[in-house]
Amino acid sequence: EFLKNRESLKSDLRPAVLEVVGRYSDRATYDRLHDLGQQAQSLEEKLFFYRGMQVARDPKLAEESLRISLTDELPPGIAAYSVYWVAFGGEHRELVWAFVRENLKTLTEKLDFWGQLNYAPNLMTAFSDAARADELEAFSREHLSKDADKEVAKAAAKIRFRARLKERELPGLFE
């Protein structure tokens, strides 16, 4: 009904409904969301469709959303940060981290100085495994500016905290 009449879905429900549709989308549904996003009249409306695409459970569709972040379909900063939706909104943290390592320069060129400092550290907080904190620190030494050290330290602490919390609390959930 929404495709025929946009007013059939209340505006305050659209983001949630489009995320659910996108999360469980097949190729045809994903492509339809993409078409709708490209045709959207406002940036806000466009982002609703793209966010639906970015939380797709299908790894091939997630890869496509990542590739879109390298294009000019979205404003530069939004495009760079769109990979966060793929990482935090679905089951594709590993896929996103590999993509970011491969495309870090292209993605961070879309950001201002502060965005560049925070980009990889904030992305890594999608993980809750202490080894990822170590990986972030090693990655930072090789690929990030010294200016990012404070952000890396905060992100590593957050990852380690979540790892300890998960280790302490998760076993009790299944007793």
Side-chain angles (χ1 to χ4, degrees):
E1 184 62 29
F2 173 75
L3 295 174
K4 295 176 198 169
N5 174 15
R6 297 284 170 93
E7 299 308 312
S8 66
L9 180 59
K10 292 183 179 186
S11 60
D12 59 338
L13 294 177
R14 287 181 195 159
V17 169
L18 291 170
E19 279 190 43
V20 170
V21 168
R23 182 153 182 74
Y24 300 100
S25 62
D26 58 11
R27 170 92 268 171
T29 303
Y30 182 92
D31 288 343
R32 183 64 179 191
L33 287 170
H34 196 190
D35 290 342
L36 290 166
Q38 289 177 314
Q39 296 167 18
Q41 298 299 307
S42 71
L43 181 59
E44 180 182 35
E45 182 184 22
K46 179 186 247 353
L47 292 178
F48 293 155
F49 294 114
Y50 278 78
R51 285 181 183 150
M53 294 162 51
Q54 292 156 350
V55 297
R57 293 181 65 186
D58 182 324
K60 287 186 168 110
L61 300 178
E63 286 175 4
E64 186 159 335
S65 289
L66 293 173
R67 284 191 297 274
I68 290 170
S69 72
L70 300 175
T71 71
D72 61 357
E73 287 185 37
L74 294 168
I78 293 171
Y81 283 113
S82 70
V83 303
Y84 281 43
W85 279 89
V86 181
F88 287 92
E91 297 86 25
H92 306 296
R93 291 169 189 84
E94 297 286 344
L95 179 70
V96 172
W97 181 229
F99 177 83
V100 167
R101 287 191 316 259
E102 185 176 320
N103 297 285
L104 182 66
K105 185 176 187 308
T106 303
L107 291 164
T108 57
E109 284 174 346
K110 296 175 181 250
L111 303 170
D112 64 18
F113 177 75
W114 297 111
Q116 291 175 8
L117 293 182
N118 292 315
Y119 193 74
N122 285 345
L123 177 66
M124 287 297 284
T125 64
F127 291 101
S128 60
D129 177 354
R132 293 302 183 152
D134 299 337
E135 182 179 351
L136 172 61
E137 291 166 338
F139 179 83
S140 171
R141 286 190 293 275
E142 288 186 39
H143 302 284
L144 302 180
S145 159
K146 281 284 195 197
D147 294 327
D149 286 354
K150 184 176 178 180
E151 299 307 317
V152 169
K154 288 192 302 189
K158 185 181 280 188
I159 295 165
R160 289 184 178 109
F161 169 77
R162 289 180 178 161
R164 287 190 308 273
L165 181 66
K166 184 172 73 174
E167 183 178 310
R168 186 184 75 219
E169 298 296 328
L170 195 57
L173 295 176
F174 299 103
E175 292 178 349

